[in-house]
Amino acid sequence: MMAKHINLLVWFFICHIANLLDAIFTLNAVSKGVEELNPLMAYLIEQSPILFFIVKIVLFGLAIDLLARRRPTWLRPVGYVYIMVLVWHLSFVFFV
């Protein structure tokens, strides 16, 4: 039981760290001319990169916290999706 709890906690932190890195990589990619595909996030970036960063971290943080309480087994798939997003972002770091 303790191992399962630790495993969920690890995925919880992976989701939060991946979100932070996603925000940083998104701002980097946009600064190089890549278009943000999420309309809400694109609007926030246009208004203020700092506003984008704060809203992204807070909204996703609340969503992950809620997910951890309601559907903790979903943390792993969300973490994997975010890892794939980060790998995609790395293509912009090296190829744009």
Side-chain angles (χ1 to χ4, degrees):
M1 185 66 171
M2 184 65 149
K4 183 177 180 180
H5 180 71
I6 291 172
N7 187 28
L8 292 174
L9 190 61
V10 167
W11 282 105
F12 176 82
F13 284 114
I14 286 172
C15 288
H16 281 292
I17 292 167
N19 182 48
L20 177 67
L21 292 172
D22 178 41
I24 292 167
F25 287 156
T26 296
L27 290 173
N28 179 55
V30 168
S31 74
K32 293 180 177 185
V34 176
E35 181 182 349
E36 170 60 52
L37 298 178
N38 180 327
L40 171 63
M41 294 299 154
Y43 173 77
L44 292 172
I45 290 170
E46 282 181 22
Q47 298 308 305
S48 165
I50 293 170
L51 178 62
F52 157 80
F53 192 82
I54 291 169
V55 170
K56 178 161 178 48
I57 298 303
V58 169
L59 283 181
F60 186 80
L62 291 172
I64 284 300
D65 291 348
L66 180 64
L67 187 66
R69 294 173 201 278
R70 302 288 176 124
R71 300 275 194 259
T73 57
W74 290 13
L75 289 172
R76 180 185 289 187
V78 170
Y80 280 134
V81 168
Y82 253 94
I83 289 169
M84 289 187 290
V85 167
L86 294 177
V87 169
W88 181 70
H89 271 298
L90 289 175
S91 71
F92 293 115
V93 170
F94 293 110
F95 301 112
V96 173

